[in-house]
């Protein structure tokens, strides 16, 4: 049910029980679940159906610390949210990701994997993934794990019709939420939305903020600033414990098995190396998924030959290549996306500068620590040892790992995965939301999305975002039906 | 602002799509190429009783 304006919505008589701010995978999944539970809801989207550079500009911000992507490129401000440029990687968090780990400060969720498992099938359907196979063991330290792939599902395209035709889901486009407005009794009373030159309030019963892994913190921080801390009364952790999945090339490799470890080419799934639970615990490292790639997969056979030569006879090959004025690297490489330990100093703050709507822009403090270096170094060594033990190939660690020099600037930096900032916890001292994604100290304010992740594991967030959103939908469905 | 070279979000979309692993079209060719080169370079590929690291190379003691 699309409303062309806030006025049209106000005149319609439609009275949603839940206002959902944001229409990415979290917001739309939540709305569809609430529809199943017969709870009317209103989706409020800042952007339109189509991409707009003007809309994206609101996402510009400053990054302090390690090299990182431009913030206005790392997500999409339009209907369907960042699923509009999602790559489709689907993987559940590991069971061990939810548990406290003695070697990882601030680890542990107030829920366990069993709390999300009941939502896996529904998440599969929403994300249009079908296959599944259990992980396999390679050695005590290294597993083969499966990543499945969504087509990928563009929520803005796939679910547009379902939202427009729904009688219990309302939709407002081009309606940026400027701030949450608290009333009395620890409740949000309304949301203030931009109407071009002016602003207006929309009264709400319950609110769920689903604006993404950066914007959730920004909106709550800004609302808290505007209303004397009455939106997030316990704000010690607000904006903090922000995480990414660093992505780096770890080693060069020569192997007799080819470089793409992909054993089931007929299905939309791929296999990756990963440190086992045993290895993570024994060596105090985070999770990861690791893959082999040829340096260039579309090159000529002659170039491939030289890449191989560089692996097994580097001195001779270097001499010959120099005579020809060429430069090649060893045949393949090992790349990984790995877990970042949660730390309060990695955080989102409000900048002095404001966007076109007058809202403070984002300032992101983000840096990797020695814990991530340890994870990268040890898992590389474990994989190298596994290749030797299985006689699959040989690896040479990149110099920055062998000699402890700076992280290379030429790598991808991160997986475009924004996690933390409104993390889930048992305590408001270390978190913003409780196990039901409700903001501590507030009765009707919830958060959806990867900003509630307490730890990030190595799994791409989207699948877990959807499972959490479905679970939140059930929680709200039960709460509001009873009320 | 971050130091990453500016680009339009549509380009970021393309980069992200590129990031998805591709099919192993020439894995067999590479495998065939690798084996004779190993022989040429006289690198023994035998089952490892132990592992050593030399200049970053993670090798079998027998290598």
């Amino acid at each position: 049910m699309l409303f062309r304006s806030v006025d049209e919505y106000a005149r319609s008589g439609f009275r949603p029980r839940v206002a959902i701010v944001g229409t990415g995978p979290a917001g739309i999944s939540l709305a569809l679940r609430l529809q199943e539970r017969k709870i009317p809801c209103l989706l409020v989207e800042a952007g339109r159906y189509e991409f707009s550079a003007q809309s994206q500009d609101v996402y510009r911000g400053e990054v302090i610390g390690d090299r990182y992507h431009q913030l206005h490129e790392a997500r999409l401000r339009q209907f369907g949210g960042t699923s509009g440029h999602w790559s489709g990687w689907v993987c559940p968090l590991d069971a061990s990701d939810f548990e406290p780990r003695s070697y990882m400060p601030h680890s542990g969720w107030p829920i366990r994997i069993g709390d999300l498992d009941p939502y896996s099938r529904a998440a599969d359907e929403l994300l249009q993934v079908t296959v599944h196979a259990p992980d396999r063991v390679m050695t005590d330290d290294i597993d083969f794990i499966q990543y499945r792939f969504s087509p990928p599902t563009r929520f803005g395209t796939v679910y547009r019709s379902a939202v427009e035709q729904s009688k219990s889901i309302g939709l407002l486009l081009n309606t940026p939420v400027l701030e949450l407005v608290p009333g009395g009794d620890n409740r949000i009373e309304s949301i203030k939305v931009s109407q071009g030159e002016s602003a207006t309030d929309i009264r709400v019963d319950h609110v769920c903020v689903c604006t993404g892994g950066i914007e959730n913190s920004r909106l709550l921080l800004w609302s808290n600033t505007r209303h004397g801390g009455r939106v997030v009364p316990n704000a010690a952790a607000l904006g903090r414990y922000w995480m990414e999945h660093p992505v780096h090339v770890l080693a060069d490799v020569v192997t007799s098995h080819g470089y793409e470890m992909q054993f089931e080419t007929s299905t939309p799934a791929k296999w990756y190396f990963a440190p086992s639970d045993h290895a993570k615990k024994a060596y105090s490292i985070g999770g990861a998924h690791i893959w082999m790639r040829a340096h260039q997969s579309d090159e000529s056979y002659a170039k491939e030959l030289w890449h191989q030569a560089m692996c097994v006879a580097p001195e001779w090959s270097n001499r010959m290549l120099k005579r020809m004025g060429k430069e090649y690297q060893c045949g393949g490489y090992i790349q990984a996306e790995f877990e970042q330990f949660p730390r309060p100093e990695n955080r989102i703050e409000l900048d002095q500068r404001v966007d076109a709507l007058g809202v403070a822009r984002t300032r992101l403090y983000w840096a990797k620590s020695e814990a991530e270096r340890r994870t990268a170094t040890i898992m590389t060594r474990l994989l190298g040892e596994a290749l030797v033990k299985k006689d699959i190939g040989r690896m040479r660690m990149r110099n920055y790992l062998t000699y402890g020099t700076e992280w290379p600037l030429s790598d991808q930096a991160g997986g475009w995965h924004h996690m933390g900032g409104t993390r889930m916890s048992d305590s408001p001292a270390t978190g913003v939301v409780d196990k039901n994604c409700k903001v501590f100290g507030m009765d009707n304010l919830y958060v959806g999305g990867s900003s509630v992740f307490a730890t990030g594991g190595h799994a791409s967030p989207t699948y877990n975002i959807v499972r959490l959103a479905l679970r939140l939908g059930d929680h709200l469905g039960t709460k509001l039906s009873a009320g | 602002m971050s130091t990453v070279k500016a680009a339009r979000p549509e380009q970021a979309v393309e980069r992200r799509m590129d990031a998805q692993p591709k099919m192993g079209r020439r894995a067999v060719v590479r495998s065939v190429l690798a084996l004779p080169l190993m022989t040429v370079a006289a690198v023994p590929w035998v089952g490892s009783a132990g592992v050593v690291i030399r200049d970053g190379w993670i090798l079998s003691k027998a290598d």
Side-chain angles (χ1 to χ4, degrees):
Chain A
M1 191 165 27
L2 175 63
F3 299 108
R4 288 182 175 75
S5 67
V6 176
D7 281 347
E8 184 179 298
Y9 159 71
R11 288 196 308 270
S12 71
F14 179 62
R15 293 294 172 262
R17 299 294 311 278
V18 183
I20 302 169
V21 185
T23 63
I28 289 180
S29 299
L30 173 58
L32 295 172
R33 192 63 161 195
L34 288 173
Q35 176 179 248
E36 289 175 19
R37 300 294 301 255
K38 305 192 187 314
I39 305 291
C41 63
L42 176 67
L43 284 165
V44 186
E45 168 56 47
R48 301 173 188 268
Y49 283 131
E50 302 82 17
F51 172 85
S52 151
Q54 186 181 3
S55 177
Q56 286 298 128
D57 185 76
V58 170
Y59 279 172
R60 286 183 187 276
E62 185 176 13
V63 180
I64 297 169
D66 285 0
R67 186 181 71 88
Y68 193 61
H69 311 295
Q70 295 269 23
L71 296 186
H72 66 288
E73 292 181 356
R75 54 242 169 94
L76 287 175
R77 189 171 179 269
Q78 64 187 81
F79 184 68
T82 302
S83 72
H85 66 186
W86 178 42
S87 295
W89 297 48
V90 170
C91 186
L93 287 159
D94 294 339
S96 59
D97 292 332
F98 293 89
E99 294 163 4
R101 285 172 268 179
S102 59
Y103 59 88
M104 183 184 285
H106 314 294
S107 60
W109 294 51
I111 61 173
R112 292 291 179 268
I113 193 169
D115 293 301
L116 293 187
D117 281 345
Y119 301 96
S120 298
R121 179 167 293 186
D124 283 358
E125 289 174 9
L126 281 169
L127 297 174
Q128 302 169 291
V129 291
T130 52
V131 296
H132 179 70
D135 295 343
R136 305 171 187 173
V137 173
M138 181 181 182
T139 67
D140 284 348
D141 294 328
I142 298 291
D143 291 337
F144 282 135
I145 62 163
Q146 188 190 52
Y147 253 81
R148 299 178 295 155
F149 287 88
S150 168
T153 303
R154 308 292 182 213
F155 276 67
T157 304
V158 175
Y159 298 112
R160 174 174 171 173
S161 162
V163 169
E164 285 181 342
Q165 293 174 13
S166 172
K167 299 295 183 194
S168 64
I169 303 175
L171 172 63
L172 281 168
L173 294 172
N174 194 29
T175 309
V177 174
L178 301 173
E179 59 194 58
L180 310 180
V181 181
D185 300 329
N186 299 318
R187 292 180 66 82
I188 299 298
E189 185 175 81
S190 61
I191 54 176
K192 185 181 290 296
V193 300
S194 172
Q195 292 279 278
E197 295 296 309
S198 62
T200 189
D201 285 357
I202 298 175
R203 292 189 70 82
V204 295
D205 183 355
H206 283 68
V207 191
C208 187
V209 176
C210 299
T211 57
I214 293 174
E215 292 304 297
N216 280 354
S217 290
R218 181 189 179 201
L219 178 57
L220 293 175
L221 283 164
W222 178 247
S223 300
N224 236 18
T225 300
R226 300 278 290 171
H227 297 283
R230 292 192 296 133
V231 173
V232 182
N234 305 289
L238 181 56
R240 295 185 176 272
Y241 302 95
W242 196 84
M243 299 167 289
E244 244 281 11
H245 288 133
V247 180
H248 283 283
V249 175
L250 307 173
D252 296 291
V253 63
V254 60
T255 168
S256 57
H257 278 51
Y259 294 108
E260 285 85 359
M261 302 302 287
Q262 178 181 293
F263 303 116
E264 296 187 20
T265 54
S266 61
T267 61
K270 299 182 191 333
W271 293 87
Y272 295 87
F273 301 114
S276 65
D277 281 344
H278 161 77
K280 286 189 277 188
K281 192 172 179 182
Y283 300 102
S284 303
I285 60 174
H289 61 275
I290 311 167
W291 61 96
M292 292 185 189
R293 298 284 297 274
H295 273 299
Q296 296 175 44
S297 57
D298 57 350
E299 61 192 5
S300 71
Y301 292 170
K303 284 182 180 175
E304 284 190 4
L305 189 67
W306 280 112
H307 283 302
Q308 300 287 0
M310 279 301 297
C311 301
V312 294
E315 289 182 17
W316 175 82
S317 303
N318 248 330
R319 269 203 313 274
M320 297 299 289
L321 287 166
K322 274 184 181 173
R323 285 182 192 174
M324 299 190 299
K326 305 277 188 186
E327 188 176 341
Y328 290 121
Q329 293 172 291
C330 179
Y333 61 95
I334 300 285
Q335 193 170 17
E337 188 164 312
F338 49 96
E339 183 170 19
Q340 180 165 38
F341 283 38
R343 285 189 303 281
E345 56 267 36
N346 281 330
R347 65 194 186 276
I348 293 163
E349 289 188 354
L350 298 176
D351 200 273
Q352 300 287 329
R353 287 162 284 192
V354 297
D355 64 21
L357 301 169
V359 176
R361 289 193 181 275
T362 300
R363 192 191 303 144
L364 172 64
Y365 292 83
W366 181 67
K368 297 181 287 295
S369 73
E370 283 307 306
E372 284 78 79
R373 180 176 290 276
R374 178 180 171 81
T375 293
T377 305
I378 290 179
M379 71 185 181
T380 306
R381 184 170 178 163
L382 293 175
L383 179 59
E385 290 178 0
L387 295 190
V388 170
K389 285 175 184 168
K390 294 290 181 181
D391 207 15
I392 292 173
R394 300 293 186 271
M395 288 168 36
R396 183 180 187 274
M397 290 192 290
R398 287 285 170 102
N399 285 342
Y400 73 94
L401 293 179
T402 304
Y403 302 112
T405 52
E406 292 294 311
W407 293 94
L409 294 176
S410 56
D411 287 346
Q412 187 176 301
W416 291 277
H417 299 157
H418 308 148
M419 300 167 288
T422 68
R423 72 198 306 254
M424 185 186 286
S425 176
D426 279 325
S427 162
T430 54
V432 174
V433 301
D434 66 13
K435 64 181 181 181
N436 292 317
C437 297
K438 186 176 74 64
V439 171
F440 284 116
M442 298 299 284
D443 289 338
N444 67 340
L445 176 57
Y446 290 81
V447 179
S450 50
S451 66
V452 307
F453 285 17
T455 54
H458 68 83
S460 295
T462 303
Y463 185 64
N464 303 292
I465 290 170
V466 169
R467 293 198 300 172
L468 277 163
L470 295 171
R471 178 173 174 270
L472 173 56
D474 272 358
H475 170 76
L476 286 170
T478 302
K479 177 182 177 182
L480 297 178
S481 297
Chain B
M1 296 296 167
S2 69
T3 56
V4 181
K5 186 181 176 185
R8 289 177 57 78
E10 297 95 309
Q11 292 173 311
V13 174
E14 290 167 11
R15 287 205 302 272
R16 294 186 59 164
M17 297 307 293
D18 287 345
Q20 189 167 328
K22 295 172 182 172
M23 302 283 280
R25 286 176 296 166
R26 296 184 180 171
V28 176
V29 174
R30 291 190 198 101
S31 305
V32 172
L33 285 172
L35 291 171
L37 278 168
M38 292 167 200
T39 309
V40 168
V43 176
W45 289 72
V46 296
S48 57
V51 174
V52 292
I53 298 180
R54 294 192 204 108
D55 189 31
W57 278 101
I58 302 168
L59 303 168
S60 161
K61 282 181 179 172
D63 287 342

